[in-house]
Amino acid sequence: MPTPTELLTPRLRLRPWQATDHEPFAQLNADPEVMRFFPGTQSREQSGHSIALWSAELATRGWSNWAVERRADGAFLGFTGLSVPRRALPFMPCVELGYRLARAHWGQGYATEAGRAALAFGFEQLGLDEVVSFTARLNLPSQAVMRRLGLVDAHEDFEHPALPEGHPLRPHVLYRLPRARWAAGLDARPQATARPGAPEA
């Protein structure tokens, strides 16, 4: 399989990381609002480590978490991609869909658009049988994106091992998207299995 350099959508480019991405990515990870469903904000060093890791994966296997750029003006928005979790989780082995965008770019459908491109690559190019996504049970906005992409709440909630007992973000939800569901075209349809209170916008 040829190593992809980028994935294109009508508005976005999912591409390998560049040196100019370091500063805006560090700012994104230092924003408490962006990181409110994570254990905390991240340092510049942590952000740089993530970029180095994902860049190495893109170079060696052709997929990982891509930098997301707006095609109209080249603005860096955040990341979206596919990855293999590095911690032992109860539903492994799996490939995870992940995304994180800067706050200025929320509410414009970018996460859904980029996520759909990553899923298409996973199913149509990699031949994956399933893609999963997971987040803190409290993270209703992220779950809304998952549903818009066609992922379904598996009702396999779990305690994330990276967080201590009693931490409010430790309870996590798992969403699944089987290949057959993607092939049936259900990815673009609103789902009726939303958790109570989850926003759909």
Side-chain angles (χ1 to χ4, degrees):
M1 181 189 69
T3 300
T5 56
E6 60 184 29
L7 305 177
L8 296 178
T9 76
R11 297 184 295 169
L12 306 174
R13 176 178 286 108
L14 282 67
R15 57 162 176 75
W17 294 80
Q18 302 173 354
T20 53
D21 299 329
H22 282 257
E23 179 62 26
F25 189 53
Q27 292 178 7
L28 181 160
N29 289 326
D31 184 340
E33 184 64 17
V34 172
M35 302 299 288
R36 67 189 175 112
F37 295 112
F38 292 86
T41 57
Q42 294 183 1
S43 66
R44 290 179 182 274
E45 181 180 7
Q46 290 172 312
S47 296
H49 176 75
S50 294
I51 291 177
L53 173 66
W54 298 335
S55 294
E57 291 177 341
L58 285 167
T60 57
R61 72 184 183 195
W63 56 276
S64 183
N65 286 313
W66 286 273
V68 178
E69 173 185 291
R70 188 165 52 208
R71 296 175 65 180
D73 58 5
F76 173 85
L77 308 188
F79 79 81
T80 300
L82 302 170
S83 64
V84 176
R86 298 182 176 276
R87 292 183 179 273
L89 300 172
F91 44 86
M92 293 183 71
C94 67
V95 173
E96 175 198 3
L97 172 70
Y99 40 86
R100 188 184 309 158
L101 303 183
R103 187 170 13 152
H105 307 299
W106 291 358
Q108 301 176 63
Y110 292 139
T112 303
E113 187 172 329
R116 188 165 288 122
L119 289 172
F121 179 80
F123 287 120
E124 297 168 14
Q125 301 298 319
L126 299 181
L128 299 177
D129 291 325
E130 181 183 64
V131 174
V132 306
S133 195
F134 52 88
T135 189
R137 188 184 294 159
L138 296 176
N139 191 350
L140 301 181
S142 185
Q143 293 175 54
V145 173
M146 295 175 194
R147 289 193 301 278
R148 284 197 295 273
L149 289 168
L151 286 93
V152 177
D153 188 344
H155 297 287
E156 299 175 42
D157 294 9
F158 65 100
E159 302 288 303
H160 200 291
L163 295 165
E165 294 278 354
H167 193 290
L169 298 178
R170 183 174 165 92
H172 269 54
V173 295
L174 173 69
Y175 280 66
R176 295 182 181 271
L177 179 58
R179 180 184 182 85
R181 185 175 180 84
W182 172 267
L186 296 177
D187 54 291
R189 303 179 190 174
Q191 302 305 308
T193 56
R195 287 176 177 258
E200 296 293 346

